[in-house]
Amino acid sequence: MSRFGHPGLLIGGTLTLLIAAMALLSLVWTPYPPDAIRIAARLQPPTWAHWLGTDHFGRDMLSMIMVGARNSISVGAVAVGLGMAVGVPLGLAAATLGGWTDEAVGRLTDLTFAFPAILSAILITALLGPGAVNAIVAIGILNIAVFARVTRAAALHVMARPFVRAAAALGRGPLSVTLVHVLPNVAGALVVQATISFAVAILAEAGLSYLGLGIQPPAPSWGKMLNEAQTFMAPRPTLAIFPGAAIALAVLGLNLLGDGLRDLLDPRIGKVSAKR
Amino acid sequence: MIGFLARRLLGLGLTLWLASLVVFVVLEVLPGDPALLMLGVDARPDTLAALRAQMGLDQPVPVRYLGWIGGLLSGDMGISHTYAVPVADLVRDRLAVTAPLAGLAILLSTAVALPLGVLAASRRGRVADYGVMAFSQLGVAIPNFWFGILLVLWLSIGLGWFEAGGFPGWSEGLGPALKSLILPAVTLGLTEAAILARITRAAVLDTLGEDYVRTARAKGLGAGAVMRRHVLRNALIPITTIVGLQFAFLLGGAIVVENVFFLPGLGRLLFQAISQRDLIVVKDVVMVLAALVVAVNLIVDILYAAIDPRPKGMA
Amino acid sequence: MIFRPPSLAPQSLALGARLSLAVGALLLALGVPAPTGASAQARDRLVIGMHLEPPHLDPTAGAAAAIDEVTYANLFESLTRIDARGEVIPGLAESWQVSPDGLTYTFKLRANVRYHDGTGFDAADVKFALDRARGPDSVNAQKAYFAAIASVETPDPLTVIVGLSRPDGQFLFNMGSNDAAIVAPESAATNKQKPIGTGPFKFDRWVSGDRVVLARNPDFRDPTVPKLREVVFRFISDPAAQLNAMRSGDVDAFPNIGATETLPVLEADKNFVVTVGTTEGETVLALNNARKPFDDVRVRRALAFAVNRQDVIDGAMFGYGTPIGSHFAPHRAGYVDLTGMYPHDPAKARALLAEAGYPNGIDAVIKLPPPIYARRGGEIIAAQLAEVGVRLRIEPMEWAPWLEQVFKGRDFDMTIISHVEPLDIDIYNRPDYYFGYHGDRFAAVMDKLSRAIEPDARAALYGDAQRIIAEDSVNVFLFQLPKAGVHRAGLTGLWENSPVPANDVTAVSWK
């Protein structure tokens, strides 16, 4: 492992950077507008004009995959951000305050985990209608519970360490102890969890969009492209191969990155992360 | 132990009660009139009113909540609006597909993942280890619906070994019914196996580093015996926990996989019921799924307490 | 009724049902040979694939087309019967007479008819069924069919006299519908789960979520009918899964295949026969005529000029579907081809919009129900309208909210929907109808039509009606929905067209 540095980290970082770069580039340039429908040019194989071919509406696949990367990343980032923004304070409060607060947070996370994520997503979209925002809400709610649980476990672990006990013994208030000593020491675990949650969120978004519950037309999304490809695979199998590969590579990259970071930051953290 | 159990059971009840409130409130505000959907756009107002009354939709909200929850507690899940049969019958029929599917998936994934994980740990840093880790990474990254499609392509249509989907019913005999569940279970088990293999590897590596394992080795116990007697037993604790934690995801995955292979399971029933606004079925199925998850987590907790050789106070 | 509402999980309502890719299609692309039909298929068994599972099997208590697609003519029979061409033929009544004033129908019933549970059939059953359908507790989805009935008398066990309160030209057709199935008092209450009819097949079992099995009724009055021993209806809502099921031999026929782009794949295979027939479904881009800016005929005409109909048919239906220029099925007598009235002309569309006071275009929402034609058509139309400055926000929805918001609540700008009832142009004469159109000229034509009897005169009036709504550009008329079906080679007797929702397999056999 040492001779090659960390191959997982390297591969993961490279994949993640590539996907991110593609998404960023799509903000300023795509080969074609991703929603330009040209029925006459539909179902073309990969050519010089269309590197990845065209879909059943004659849209350029490469452009759609580029913008799809942006959409996937946005949904994932906001969902994970939502999970952290709410989940981390909840987890810290549960760990430091204990008692009734701990019980309440534990109950809420239990409640969330009692519903399979896809079930919550289905119910939420049945309620609010399908759409990117609702997909974010559905994935975000799950992440709140994940981050609350991970933060609590990591914080309890840190709080048992002598320097934190010493600080508390010296009369520092719980808020100060939490912010000064606990939070910085759980940050590593949170970064790792964020990377992995990001991968899960991308997979979840793909699944929801595939079910027709996520990102809505005309905005492109990898999951939706797979859905649309399903009956056109006879003339054009690449329609399903490229978006599927994009999903798998993005998730693979983020997971490898997360694992690499974990190894770098603290080999012991892995034990508390509630992966997936 | 009794206190621990009582506390756990209380927590379970509380979680389920909260879940029932959430589900009921969500479905109360769900748009769409089930009576209109059943009778079509040509239905006359009096016909609609008759059907709404028949469905009990004309009663006040608290009465309906209490009626529903009271029925559940006494084992009465109500009558499906669309199928016009007791929901309990529907759930039983569909559970007879989903439960074996989930069970088979757990069985398959554990059977594959445990040996792989142990192998990787005992060959740490070597080719076998990298191979297992690569499998694990890919297994997590590949969307399971995609994997299911490839399986159908290869084994059903290419080689003709399995039907492309569907479920003949248990009345057709154990063989055909089980056979129709194999591909779905493999699909469902892939992600689980990938995660479990990795967890197993980590758990075994962790235990290998513990003092008592080193002591056992130092005492001259063979590698195989150490692995069996000390390492595996202790590694089973985190593995069991993860299997339990994964159960919710497994059920969620089953909902998806049932659709890939068009199996008549609980997940498909739920989709249909939502689109039909068969609210009583939605409520009941969601509660059944939630109860399954919560119950499995409880069992895991109890197993945890039973397996864990270390003193209490950790859980 | 204008269109059949969904029964269970209309295609994309079965959210996850999309979750499978066209493996069969990929397979073809990869050159893997398809299994031949030699899967030891006994030649007296038929497996029919259906899109949707029926909620139950009582046609007198639900609007779901899937109920009819299992039970019509196979399990249940009505007084009259609709054949494959849409003609009224004898059913349980072997003959009938209509009084000159059109108010009294005397039906002569067949003798030797028994229900599947062994109970006999006679005039009392007919009276029971009709009275039940029109009674106060009726939950019949087509209660209007029975609204004109004033009395039902049974002078003898094989004669039924139905008195009407007003003439009803559709009465014999309606009495042939599945909603008018003659159910028995002994079994009416339990037909939803254990249907008991008089047809050549009887109910065998229902594997909920997967299949309904019908078995030959050995006691049927005509020993030569049916030719099949067993008919299995399997419910597969996902288009890709449908293709797989056909190609793997799991299913013998899909009378209505979900995605027309799979047809070329099947057509290229000599094991399969693809039939493209007609339906009564006029597919339209419906506009809310009661709401600004669609109350302005110039705006509606602009939209008609902006839409490229052929691209919609190619993109949404893979080319299957006949263009229409008004609300009338091309195979019906009286059809006028008006597809040339608004040729695709974006410049003209922009000019009309500017003239109507919208030089900067329009922002609107298009609400799309689940069928593929609506979802795909909506995306294409949104792109086409964008070219003339009409910016659409696409809002896909399930059937339940669509019915509530669009159809009942009339809270919409645009939608895409297929109106599948036959000869339903009269919906444009209902001011309270969801698209909110009213025209005095049209009302006058409809009034004349209701009194016209001579076929030529009726056809001419139908022509006028088509022209008026096309000139008013009430909706943007897109195409006639095809009945695109596929079955294994060697199967005969399936309906090619779809005059009523049904899979009448009483005459089906294997060669």
Side-chain angles (χ1 to χ4, degrees):
Chain A
M1 211 193 268
S2 52
R3 211 178 340 147
F4 306 103
H6 194 300
L9 190 62
L10 199 68
I11 299 173
T14 312
L15 277 175
T16 308
L17 274 179
L18 271 176
I19 305 253
M22 196 163 77
L24 280 177
L25 178 61
S26 80
L27 282 172
V28 290
W29 179 82
T30 53
Y32 296 84
D35 52 358
I37 290 180
R38 269 180 64 223
I39 301 293
R42 70 179 167 191
L43 299 177
Q44 287 186 3
T47 58
W48 280 115
H50 297 279
W51 287 7
L52 302 184
T54 59
D55 77 348
H56 62 292
F57 285 164
R59 293 176 294 201
D60 180 59
M61 287 288 284
L62 177 59
S63 308
M64 291 176 79
I65 285 185
M66 287 173 71
V67 180
R70 193 170 84 210
N71 290 340
S72 270
I73 288 175
S74 315
V75 168
V78 180
V80 172
L82 181 71
M84 290 184 86
V86 183
V88 172
L90 278 181
L92 284 178
T96 51
L97 298 178
W100 185 86
T101 315
D102 194 13
E103 188 64 30
V105 171
R107 196 55 55 215
L108 282 177
T109 52
D110 277 359
L111 181 62
T112 313
F113 286 125
F115 296 104
I118 187 104
L119 186 60
S120 322
I122 292 166
L123 286 179
I124 286 172
T125 47
L127 190 66
L128 305 175
V133 174
N134 303 328
I136 288 173
V137 171
I139 302 170
I141 286 178
L142 179 76
N143 271 314
I144 291 176
V146 168
F147 277 100
R149 193 171 270 193
V150 170
T151 309
R152 176 181 173 275
L156 284 177
H157 188 71
V158 171
M159 282 162 64
R161 309 238 300 255
F163 70 91
V164 180
R165 290 197 195 165
L170 283 175
R172 296 267 185 118
L175 187 65
S176 146
V177 170
T178 307
L179 292 182
V180 176
H181 296 288
V182 178
L183 190 56
N185 281 292
V186 299
L190 294 183
V191 168
V192 171
Q193 183 58 47
T195 320
I196 289 168
S197 281
F198 204 157
V200 175
I202 285 182
L203 213 47
E205 187 279 317
L208 285 180
S209 293
Y210 195 52
L211 293 167
L213 301 175
I215 292 171
Q216 292 301 311
S221 131
W222 294 339
K224 197 158 59 71
M225 290 168 78
L226 271 182
N227 172 352
E228 287 166 351
Q230 61 190 353
T231 48
F232 290 101
M233 287 175 68
R236 208 47 70 220
T238 48
L239 282 186
I241 289 171
F242 292 133
I247 297 171
L249 288 178
V251 175
L252 186 66
L254 281 167
N255 274 335
L256 286 174
L257 184 66
D259 290 353
L261 285 178
R262 173 182 356 222
D263 290 350
L264 274 188
L265 293 171
D266 180 358
R268 306 288 304 179
I269 296 172
K271 300 185 75 175
V272 294
S273 82
K275 186 146 183 271
R276 274 175 74 87
Chain B
M1 191 69 190
I2 303 240
F4 162 78
L5 259 184
R7 238 178 67 92
R8 278 284 156 190
L9 277 175
L10 195 71
L12 181 147
L14 204 60
T15 303
L16 284 181
W17 175 65
L18 284 173
S20 78
L21 274 182
V22 171
V23 169
F24 188 82
V25 169
V26 165
L27 293 186
E28 270 309 308
V29 288
L30 206 61
D33 177 357
L36 180 66
L37 199 65
M38 273 175 83
L39 289 179
V41 293
D42 230 20
R44 292 148 47 126
D46 58 332
T47 327
L48 280 174
L51 190 65
R52 281 202 200 97
Q54 203 181 313
M55 289 171 159
L57 291 176
D58 52 347
Q59 290 171 350
V61 172
V63 174
R64 276 191 280 158
Y65 176 74
L66 289 179
W68 171 55
I69 213 75
L72 277 188
L73 287 177
S74 62
D76 174 12
M77 301 176 83
I79 307 281
S80 157
H81 302 327
T82 44
Y83 282 103
V85 295
V87 182
D89 292 359
L90 279 178
V91 168
R92 198 189 51 232
D93 287 357
R94 302 305 185 94
L95 207 53
V97 177
T98 303
L101 172 62
L104 208 55
I106 291 183
L107 213 67
L108 284 173
S109 57
T110 319
V112 171
L114 282 190
L116 281 184
V118 172
L119 176 79
S122 55
R123 299 266 194 288
R124 185 176 190 184
R126 288 196 253 167
V127 178
D129 187 18
Y130 281 119
V132 171
M133 291 308 279
F135 158 76
S136 167
Q137 289 290 359
L138 281 175
V140 175
I142 291 177
N144 61 5
F145 47 80
W146 175 245
F147 184 60
I149 303 323
L150 295 181
L151 284 182
V152 171
L153 168 65
W154 176 36
L155 296 173
S156 303
I157 300 185
L159 298 175
W161 291 356
F162 297 92
E163 288 211 356
F167 186 72
W170 292 105
S171 58
E172 295 284 290
L174 195 63
L178 273 182
K179 195 177 169 200
S180 70
L181 290 181
I182 289 178
L183 288 191
V186 170
T187 306
L188 188 55
L190 171 77
T191 316
E192 302 307 310
I195 293 170
L196 266 187
R198 186 197 302 217
I199 297 291
T200 307
R201 174 182 177 274
V204 170
L205 282 179
D206 262 1
T207 338
L208 280 174
E210 297 273 355
D211 292 342
Y212 59 90
V213 175
R214 284 190 226 151
T215 314
R217 271 213 186 129
K219 282 200 290 192
L221 219 54
V226 171
M227 193 58 101
R228 274 194 306 276
R229 256 189 243 166
H230 296 282
V231 179
L232 269 185
R233 185 182 154 93
N234 284 293
L236 272 179
I237 299 161
I239 294 170
T240 317
T241 316
I242 296 294
V243 171
L245 279 179
Q246 289 292 323
F247 188 73
F249 292 100
L250 195 79
L251 272 187
I255 295 179
V256 174
V257 168
E258 278 169 16
N259 282 292
V260 174
F261 292 94
F262 39 104
L263 294 175
L266 272 188
R268 276 251 311 259
L269 178 66
L270 184 72
F271 279 123
Q272 293 177 337
I274 288 180
S275 55
Q276 276 299 101
R277 294 298 184 266
D278 195 347
L279 301 186
I280 181 82
V281 174
V282 180
K283 283 187 277 199
D284 287 352
V285 171
V286 171
M287 286 310 291
V288 166
L289 289 173
L292 273 176
V293 171
V294 174
V296 166
N297 284 345
L298 177 73
I299 292 169
V300 168
D301 276 353
I302 294 170
L303 277 180
Y304 193 102
I307 304 177
D308 194 351
R310 286 169 293 189
K312 289 279 159 323
M314 292 274 304
Chain C
M1 189 174 104
I2 48 143
F3 54 86
R4 290 266 160 180
S7 59
L8 276 190
Q11 63 205 29
S12 43
L13 289 195
L15 307 158
R18 300 185 178 178
L19 272 191
S20 84
L21 299 183
V23 174
L26 179 60
L27 179 79
L28 192 82
L30 297 179
V32 183
T36 56
S39 50
Q41 187 94 212
R43 294 282 95 171
D44 56 357
R45 180 170 183 268
L46 173 68
V47 183
I48 288 193
M50 282 171 55
H51 205 90
L52 305 174
E53 179 174 19
H56 57 76
L57 292 173
D58 183 353
T60 66
I67 301 174
D68 306 329
E69 285 165 4
V70 171
T71 62
Y72 187 71
N74 304 327
L75 249 171
F76 286 108
E77 295 176 293
S78 309
L79 283 176
T80 64
R81 178 170 171 179
I82 313 302
D83 71 4
R85 294 162 302 143
E87 306 288 331
V88 176
I89 59 171
L92 284 171
E94 58 185 13
S95 65
W96 52 83
Q97 286 174 328
V98 188
S99 64
D101 61 0
L103 290 177
T104 307
Y105 286 74
T106 306
F107 294 97
K108 194 81 197 149
L109 304 183
R110 287 181 202 277
N112 303 323
V113 175
R114 304 201 81 81
Y115 282 96
H116 299 147
D117 60 358
T119 55
F121 160 86
D122 63 21
D125 294 300
V126 177
K127 180 172 170 54
F128 166 80
L130 296 183
D131 286 348
R132 176 170 169 269
R134 67 196 182 100
D137 297 330
S138 163
V139 289
N140 196 300
Q142 304 296 340
K143 205 173 167 183
Y145 286 2
F146 312 92
I149 298 179
S151 66
V152 181
E153 285 157 44
T154 57
D156 69 68
L158 292 180
T159 308
V160 177
I161 300 173
V162 179
L164 301 189
S165 54
R166 54 179 160 81
D168 179 356
Q170 287 287 308
F171 186 69
L172 283 174
F173 190 91
N174 290 345
M175 285 306 104
S177 75
N178 214 15
D179 304 275
I182 304 303
V183 297
E186 295 88 347
S187 45
T190 52
N191 275 342
K192 282 186 175 176
Q193 295 310 312
K194 279 177 79 92
I196 301 286
T198 54
F201 289 97
K202 57 184 185 180
F203 175 75
D204 182 32
R205 66 202 157 89
W206 187 345
V207 181
S208 148
D210 191 67
R211 65 187 70 188
V212 166
V213 182
L214 305 185
R216 164 199 267 277
N217 170 13
D219 305 321
F220 191 64
R221 55 185 179 264
D222 179 350
T224 65
V225 175
K227 303 192 170 56
L228 298 165
R229 177 181 52 84
E230 185 175 80
V231 181
V232 181
F233 292 92
R234 287 193 59 182
F235 314 116
I236 303 173
S237 54
D238 172 47
Q242 293 176 357
L243 181 66
N244 292 343
M246 276 308 293
R247 294 179 56 83
S248 66
D250 297 357
V251 171
D252 298 314
F254 260 102
N256 277 301
I257 200 110
T260 39
E261 65 268 20
T262 58
L263 289 177
V265 180
L266 293 165
E267 210 157 18
D269 187 330
K270 63 178 183 351
N271 288 311
F272 303 111
V273 178
V274 169
T275 56
V276 180
T278 58
T279 70
E280 302 295 335
E282 291 84 20
T283 312
V284 301
L285 170 67
L287 309 173
N288 193 342
N289 284 240
R291 182 184 275 190
K292 265 190 182 321
F294 310 106
D295 56 345
D296 187 329
V297 69
R298 289 169 299 188
V299 171
R300 299 198 300 263
R301 284 180 184 153
L303 295 177
F305 279 119
V307 168
N308 181 341
R309 203 181 269 126
Q310 195 56 46
D311 268 7
V312 175
I313 295 173
D314 286 345
M317 300 298 293
F318 216 68
Y320 294 87
T322 314
I324 53 171
S326 186
H327 197 104
F328 211 77
H331 60 271
R332 287 272 173 190
Y335 171 75
V336 187
D337 185 353
L338 299 168
T339 50
M341 192 180 276
Y342 304 100
H344 181 53
D345 190 343
K348 201 159 189 175
R350 272 189 294 266
L352 275 167
L353 283 177
E355 188 191 323
Y358 302 96
N360 300 320
I362 294 171
D363 288 284
V365 178
I366 183 164
K367 295 187 174 175
L368 301 174
I372 284 185
Y373 65 76
R375 294 285 169 91
R376 287 198 188 145
E379 253 189 278
I380 297 168
I381 284 174
Q384 292 175 350
L385 294 190
E387 285 173 29
V388 302
V390 176
R391 294 165 295 271
L392 288 191
R393 189 163 61 75
I394 296 173
E395 202 175 306
M397 38 179 59
E398 290 179 40
W399 276 118
W402 187 90
L403 283 171
E404 184 128 318
Q405 291 177 28
V406 178
F407 191 79
K408 207 171 141 202
R410 280 166 240 161
D411 175 18
F412 76 107
D413 298 330
M414 299 184 194
T415 187
I416 296 180
I417 187 72
S418 203
H419 292 236
V420 305
E421 293 295 308
L423 292 176
D424 56 359
I425 198 170
D426 61 313
I427 55 179
Y428 291 78
N429 198 26
R430 294 197 222 159
D432 59 343
Y433 208 57
Y434 77 104
F435 45 71
Y437 168 74
H438 177 73
D440 290 332
R441 271 168 70 213
F442 189 81
V445 171
M446 283 292 115
D447 184 50
K448 276 187 214 152
L449 187 67
S450 70
R451 281 176 282 116
I453 295 160
E454 182 62 26
D456 287 349
R458 288 183 68 87
L461 286 167
Y462 271 131
D464 292 345
Q466 292 168 59
R467 268 182 219 102
I468 293 169
I469 55 172
E471 279 159 14
D472 279 352
S473 193
V474 180
N475 296 317
V476 179
F477 305 100
L478 300 174
F479 56 88
Q480 195 73 19
L481 205 62
K483 175 184 163 88
V486 59
H487 60 83
R488 284 206 156 264
L491 197 63
T492 59
L494 281 168
W495 284 15
E496 195 165 309
N497 300 322
S498 191
V500 289
N503 285 312
D504 180 346
V505 292
T506 55
V508 172
S509 65
W510 290 96
K511 261 190 287 218

